[in-house]
């Protein structure tokens, strides 16, 4: 969680050079090259059904990166991540009718309301509504990423991630090149993009696999729920982003909802 959020903060620092889509192209494109070189998934090609699911999985992965980085460009990182994690929480409500699950989603809804212009507070009115919309788009993409990621999780090793990242790069790289142009290929920018790819993709994915192998799923889910807070701290220390008291309360409510839903999740 520290790696992926510090990587996000570092990536935001590159936005003035190549834009949010340019940084996304670097992160996803370089990560795809590294994953393909490591896993070499072409040695066992997926079947037709798996290929279709991989296509949607990769598209959602690419769109999720494009939309969350677009949100980072307009609103604080911690706020954007807090909005983004409501996508997986929505899956909880759709897959369960237990009162406690509805209560967790309600807790997250209160947090979202505190961040929205509907609340009417000074902190919410200061948020760029376009940035909030991008974060909500990232939430939808994350939910779909989980749905289709589950369908391709039976593929051997990291082949699903490698193929998915390749599709994501085919989605994100043209958008980044269109926004940044030749600036994207400057040696200093490529080096910084490689650092972002390692911090935000390669390293956290590897650590997540090790954590999932050693921790119960609900414990893993509770730990991951701290993402918005870690993102807010990374934004503060790396970029100097300051959040209001109301925004911190909203983030705390969304974290509580995410951790609570993970802690009380059934085995299925």
């Amino acid at each position: 969680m520290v790696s992926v959020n510090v990587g996000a903060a570092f990536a935001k620092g590159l936005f003035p050079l190549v834009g949010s889509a340019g940084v996304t192209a670097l992160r996803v494109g370089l990560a795809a090259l590294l994953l393909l070189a490591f896993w070499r998934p072409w040695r066992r090609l997926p079947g037709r059904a798996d290929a279709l699911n991989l296509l949607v999985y990769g598209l959602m992965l690419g769109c999720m990166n494009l939309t969350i980085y677009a949100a980072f460009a307009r609103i604080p990182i911690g706020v954007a991540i807090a909005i983004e994690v409501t996508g997986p929480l929505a899956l909880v409500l759709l897959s369960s009718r237990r009162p406690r699950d509805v209560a967790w989603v309600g807790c997250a809804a209160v947090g979202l309301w505190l961040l929205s212009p509907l609340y009417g507070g000074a902190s919410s009115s200061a948020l760029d509504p376009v940035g909030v919309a991008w974060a909500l788009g990232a939430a939808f993409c994350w939910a779909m990423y989980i749905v289709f990621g589950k369908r391709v999780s039976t593929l051997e090793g990291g082949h699903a991630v490698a193929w998915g990242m390749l599709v994501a790069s085919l989605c994100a790289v043209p958008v980044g090149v269109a926004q940044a142009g030749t600036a994207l290929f400057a040696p200093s920018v490529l080096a910084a993009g490689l650092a972002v790819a390692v911090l935000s993709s390669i390293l956290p994915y590897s650590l997540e696999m090790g954590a999932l192998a050693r921790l119960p799923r609900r414990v893993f889910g509770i730990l991951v729920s701290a993402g918005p807070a870690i993102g807010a701290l990374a934004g503060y220390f790396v970029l100097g982003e300051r959040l209001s008291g109301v925004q911190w309360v909203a983030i705390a409510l969304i974290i509580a909802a995410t951790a609570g839903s993970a802690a009380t999740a059934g085995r299925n």
Side-chain angles (χ1 to χ4, degrees):
M1 296 307 298
V2 172
S3 177
V4 72
N5 285 288
V6 170
F10 183 62
K12 185 169 181 176
L14 298 174
F15 287 179
L17 298 177
V18 292
S20 63
V23 177
T24 305
L26 287 172
R27 171 189 171 177
V28 175
L30 292 172
L33 290 176
L34 293 172
L35 287 169
L36 288 170
F38 181 78
W39 288 108
R40 292 179 288 177
W42 54 84
R43 293 177 299 176
R44 180 174 295 181
L45 296 177
R48 180 176 297 180
D50 286 333
L52 181 59
N53 286 325
L54 279 170
L55 177 63
V56 181
Y57 167 73
L59 286 173
M60 291 298 102
L61 178 59
C63 290
M64 180 174 66
N65 280 277
L66 284 168
T67 51
I68 195 59
Y69 273 29
F72 288 166
R74 293 166 175 82
I75 59 178
I77 289 176
V79 173
I81 296 174
I83 296 172
E84 185 190 28
V85 299
T86 60
L89 273 177
L91 292 180
V92 174
L93 182 60
L94 292 173
S95 61
S96 174
R97 290 297 181 270
R98 296 181 303 176
R100 61 186 177 189
D101 289 331
V102 177
W104 294 130
V105 174
C107 181
V110 173
L112 279 177
W113 176 68
L114 291 176
L115 293 174
S116 73
L118 297 175
Y119 168 67
S123 60
S124 61
S125 60
L127 291 178
D128 185 335
V130 177
V132 173
W134 280 121
L136 288 172
F140 171 79
C141 292
W142 195 358
M144 293 298 98
Y145 164 84
I146 292 172
V147 171
F148 286 91
K150 179 67 175 176
R151 295 182 183 181
V152 300
S153 62
T154 56
L155 295 180
E156 179 183 353
H159 289 199
V161 177
W163 284 121
M165 195 67 75
L166 174 61
V167 175
S169 68
L170 295 176
C171 169
V173 170
V175 179
V177 172
Q179 183 182 80
T182 56
L184 204 62
F185 304 103
S188 59
V189 173
L190 286 173
L194 180 61
V196 171
V198 171
L199 283 172
S200 295
S201 295
I202 303 298
L203 182 58
Y205 290 162
S206 301
L207 293 174
E208 279 183 1
M209 290 301 103
L212 283 168
R214 294 166 175 81
L215 293 175
R217 240 181 299 180
R218 64 182 62 193
V219 175
F220 178 84
I222 293 169
L223 293 173
V224 169
S225 71
I230 298 174
L233 291 173
Y236 174 76
F237 286 110
V238 178
L239 301 169
E241 294 180 344
R242 295 178 180 271
L243 302 184
S244 68
V246 172
Q247 289 172 338
W248 274 111
V249 170
I251 288 175
L253 287 171
I254 294 172
I255 290 173
T258 309
S261 64
T264 60
R267 291 185 179 275
N268 291 333

